[in-house]
Amino acid sequence: MATDSWAQAVDEQEAAAESIGSLQIRDKPEENGTVSNARDSNSGAAKSETEGETKPADEDDNEDKAAQSLLNKLIRNNLVNTTNQVEVLQKDPNSPLYSVKSFEELRLKPQLLQGVYAMGFNRPSKIQETALPMMLAEPPQNLIAQSQSGTGKTAAFVLAMLSHVDPNNKYPQCLCVSPTYELALQTGKVIEQMGKYYPEVKLVYAIRGNKLQRGMKLQEQIVIGTPGTMLDWCSKFKFIDPKKIRVFVLDEADVMIATQGHQDQSIRIQRMLPRNCQMLLFSATFEESVWNFAQRIVPDPNIIKLKREEETLDTIKQYFVLCNSKEEKFQALCNIYGAITIAQAMIFCHTRKTAGWLAGELSREGHQVALLSGEMQVEQRAAVIERFRDGKEKVLVTTNVCARGIDVEQVSVVINFDLPVDKDGNPDNETYLHRIGRTGRFGKRGLAINMVDSKMSMNILNRIQEHFNKKIERLDTDDLDEIEKIAN
Ligand SMILES: Nc1ncnc2c1ncn2[C@@H]1O[C@H](COP(=O)(O)OP(=O)(O)OP(=O)(O)O)[C@@H](O)[C@H]1O
């Protein structure tokens, strides 16, 4: 890219992103034969069913949550490593607690075991070890499970749904509710993959845009969709007989409750289901509001929690550079690049404008730059991250908002071109830890450099130091010898 113009590079990136984006989403529903016009909007951003109504003030945040979740799903291709133990709270503490170390122990239908292995799963993940035996037990048990994104929850409940349906019965037996259309499609894909050798089981998407003829009865055994449409299909249109449902799954409860109306709709669906229907609820986080909702959806639950791996600053060398303007910050960055070899770096800016400007400047200097920008659709962002992960670009410039919550694997250097602050201009310590944490993973030493360009940002930096009780050393970027030392 050194010789190409920046504009051309961006065009290329976006073109690649678009083609990948369309691969991810389009066409898939039609394969099931039941969905038409599923994509009723040209935006790939995660949308909620309350769309079109007056947007509440925090709507952006809610869309953000769903978009983040989708982005993480799109860029993830394997399990998140975790060594934390699961915490289990059983409904009946006297009943023995089973956990399995292999999929064979679960006595799955051979077609499903074949599907599991075809997906490349060799053994159950940490949460699956305990959750699967509980979900597959007879009589079925209710479960509330919480673990961070990427730990194998979706795969677990998909396996449970596929195990519980009877393909000879041509009516819906499992309902799975997701917060957005795009998230529902992602889960649908997992059902298709895992059920590849079990084609008698059919799936249908209860999403806006999938218009069915009045009076018809669904024949598919699994229905996956968003709460509003699912509720309409159960009550108003009666496409589904809720009394015949044996498994009810509520996925991404934390994202779900962030969207107005979803909570009520989900509860209304739940009330129509038979008493002996198995209720399963999954969430990446477990704040009070999620917990209250979970208890209303899942009576007499077993509870499984997997704590998040603690991020620490112990293995990360932190520095700050004192500058007077963004141009000086850019020069300092060039000096750092001139003095040490940086395999891959992530650079965080406060605004889209700064991010765009910086990406342009870096590109002019001959760097291979990827830019994550707020106006990009989720699929495009996923494609940019994937290119960066594949090493096609060595520098990823991004804004706060874009990078919030995403899990990009290890990078060697993190640069805060602007320090993270919250809405009120206070230091955002959590974001700082999360950003920096990307560099010091798995015992390797990481490097983090903070750019300070005003009294205010110096104050933010001092408060971050105090918060973590960790000294951030000053780095003189005019002194090449000094910069070289930080790399050792
Ligand atoms: N037992 C397993 N062995 C290997 N890979 C697995 C296993 N279970 C799941 N995976 C893979 O790990 C990734 C994360 O799994 P999954 O999507 O089920 O996690 P999740 O907790 O539901 O996360 P999210 O909510 O972000 O989707 C997926 O790529 C999935 O295919």
Side-chain angles (χ1 to χ4, degrees):
M1 182 141 88
T3 50
D4 292 343
S5 76
W6 162 242
Q8 197 185 338
V10 167
D11 282 347
E12 275 173 20
Q13 264 181 37
E14 296 214 335
E18 250 159 41
S19 63
I20 295 175
S22 62
L23 275 181
Q24 300 274 17
I25 295 289
R26 239 166 265 148
D27 298 338
K28 210 66 192 176
E30 272 89 0
E31 279 176 18
N32 292 286
T34 29
V35 178
S36 57
N37 296 327
R39 211 178 158 79
D40 56 0
S41 124
N42 57 7
S43 161
K47 289 184 183 285
S48 74
E49 289 214 328
T50 47
E51 206 188 23
E53 294 163 14
T54 326
K55 283 190 170 193
D58 59 354
E59 182 85 343
D60 279 353
D61 250 19
N62 300 343
E63 282 188 4
D64 232 0
K65 267 197 157 184
Q68 268 169 32
S69 174
L70 179 63
L71 187 58
N72 271 326
K73 274 186 204 280
L74 293 180
I75 63 176
R76 171 156 304 126
N77 36 30
N78 44 32
L79 280 170
V80 166
N81 245 333
T82 165
T83 48
N84 278 332
Q85 291 305 311
V86 287
E87 231 180 276
V88 184
L89 245 157
Q90 279 183 291
K91 178 184 75 172
D92 174 7
N94 296 324
S95 83
L97 176 67
Y98 293 106
S99 83
V100 290
K101 295 285 176 205
S102 75
F103 286 109
E104 275 85 5
E105 288 172 68
L106 292 166
R107 305 189 184 288
L108 298 165
K109 293 192 175 75
Q111 306 95 304
L112 290 178
L113 194 60
Q114 207 181 346
V116 166
Y117 286 140
M119 288 178 81
F121 300 179
N122 297 323
R123 43 161 299 161
S125 71
K126 201 102 206 155
I127 188 120
Q128 290 165 359
E129 284 179 1
T130 335
L132 281 171
M134 245 176 214
M135 288 195 281
L136 299 177
E138 280 301 338
Q141 305 199 22
N142 290 349
L143 175 69
I144 296 176
Q146 178 247 326
S147 67
Q148 89 183 74
S149 152
T151 46
K153 299 187 293 295
T154 309
F157 71 70
V158 164
L159 193 53
M161 288 200 296
L162 286 167
S163 297
H164 283 310
V165 294
D166 180 348
N168 297 318
N169 293 335
K170 308 288 180 213
Y171 53 79
Q173 298 153 47
C174 295
L175 302 184
C176 174
V177 184
S178 281
T180 67
Y181 155 67
E182 285 84 0
L183 290 167
L185 280 193
Q186 289 304 313
T187 305
K189 278 189 192 169
V190 181
I191 300 176
E192 281 169 27
Q193 281 177 307
M194 206 172 269
K196 191 173 157 196
Y197 301 99
Y198 199 18
E200 309 90 289
V201 176
K202 301 272 188 262
L203 160 73
V204 60
Y205 293 91
I207 47 183
R208 203 183 264 189
N210 189 10
K211 303 261 181 273
L212 305 182
Q213 261 183 0
R214 280 200 178 240
M216 78 168 283
K217 294 275 179 233
L218 288 175
Q219 305 215 332
E220 292 79 1
Q221 292 85 357
I222 301 178
V223 188
I224 168 155
T226 42
T229 307
M230 190 77 91
L231 179 63
D232 281 350
W233 283 20
C234 287
S235 58
K236 193 159 135 203
F237 299 118
K238 302 201 168 19
F239 298 142
I240 300 168
D241 178 357
K243 287 282 163 263
K244 291 184 172 160
I245 301 301
R246 298 162 60 179
V247 185
F248 179 59
V249 179
L250 205 139
D251 192 17
E252 312 231 19
D254 47 346
V255 181
M256 194 77 90
I257 63 160
T259 305
Q260 248 195 2
H262 277 180
Q263 205 170 146
D264 282 352
Q265 288 159 342
S266 304
I267 290 168
R268 285 170 62 195
I269 299 169
Q270 194 264 11
R271 285 201 191 130
M272 285 187 268
L273 306 175
R275 262 172 183 276
N276 61 355
C277 173
Q278 183 179 31
M279 312 280 177
L280 307 170
L281 179 140
F282 298 85
S283 181
T285 62
F286 238 170
E287 59 266 37
E288 183 84 12
S289 52
V290 179
W291 178 233
N292 290 339
F293 175 52
Q295 286 178 307
R296 292 185 71 186
I297 290 281
V298 187
D300 300 325
N302 294 292
I303 300 161
I304 299 182
K305 286 188 196 179
L306 180 66
K307 280 214 213 84
R308 204 191 164 93
E309 207 83 347
E310 292 284 325
E311 282 172 311
T312 97
L313 292 176
D314 290 346
T315 54
I316 299 152
K317 291 192 277 185
Q318 303 174 76
Y319 294 93
F320 75 93
V321 180
L322 214 47
C323 306
N324 285 311
S325 63
K326 74 171 194 280
E327 285 77 16
E328 269 190 42
K329 290 200 280 189
F330 174 64
Q331 191 49 53
L333 195 56
C334 291
N335 292 354
I336 294 168
Y337 263 99
I340 59 174
T341 308
I342 297 176
Q344 276 200 308
M346 273 182 91
I347 307 183
F348 293 92
C349 300
H350 193 55
T351 64
R352 248 187 240 183
K353 201 169 149 210
T354 311
W357 170 82
L358 180 63
E361 294 296 310
L362 281 166
S363 182
R364 260 191 285 284
E365 284 289 311
H367 294 285
Q368 295 161 289
V369 186
L371 174 65
L372 264 195
S373 144
E375 62 273 346
M376 277 180 184
Q377 295 175 5
V378 176
E379 293 87 346
Q380 290 179 322
R381 290 187 213 173
V384 169
I385 294 170
E386 245 157 53
R387 285 177 59 84
F388 177 68
R389 277 210 307 217
D390 291 346
K392 295 201 172 86
E393 278 91 30
K394 305 291 180 218
V395 189
L396 180 67
V397 179
T398 178
T399 57
N400 229 343
V401 176
C402 252
R404 208 191 312 157
I406 59 165
D407 282 325
V408 177
E409 265 127 73
Q410 166 115 17
V411 287
S412 51
V413 178
V414 168
I415 292 167
N416 282 320
F417 199 77
D418 296 305
L419 292 167
V421 286
D422 64 17
K423 286 200 292 289
D424 308 317
N426 292 314
D428 184 345
N429 296 314
E430 199 186 322
T431 299
Y432 183 83
L433 179 64
H434 191 59
R435 282 183 187 179
I436 305 295
R438 291 167 207 286
T439 147
R441 298 242 169 113
F442 312 120
K444 289 191 194 164
R445 279 186 85 74
L447 182 58
I449 299 172
N450 297 292
M451 305 272 177
V452 170
D453 63 356
S454 63
K455 271 201 181 128
M456 207 179 82
S457 57
M458 194 64 228
N459 174 275
I460 302 280
L461 187 91
N462 285 332
R463 286 163 68 187
I464 290 176
Q465 283 194 92
E466 277 165 32
H467 178 86
F468 292 107
N469 195 19
K470 275 243 156 324
K471 184 139 182 64
I472 305 178
E473 303 282 348
R474 171 148 185 218
L475 176 69
D476 179 0
T477 48
D478 291 328
D479 184 342
L480 289 186
D481 291 340
E482 196 182 318
I483 308 179
E484 276 175 22
K485 275 189 222 143
I486 67 170
N488 301 321

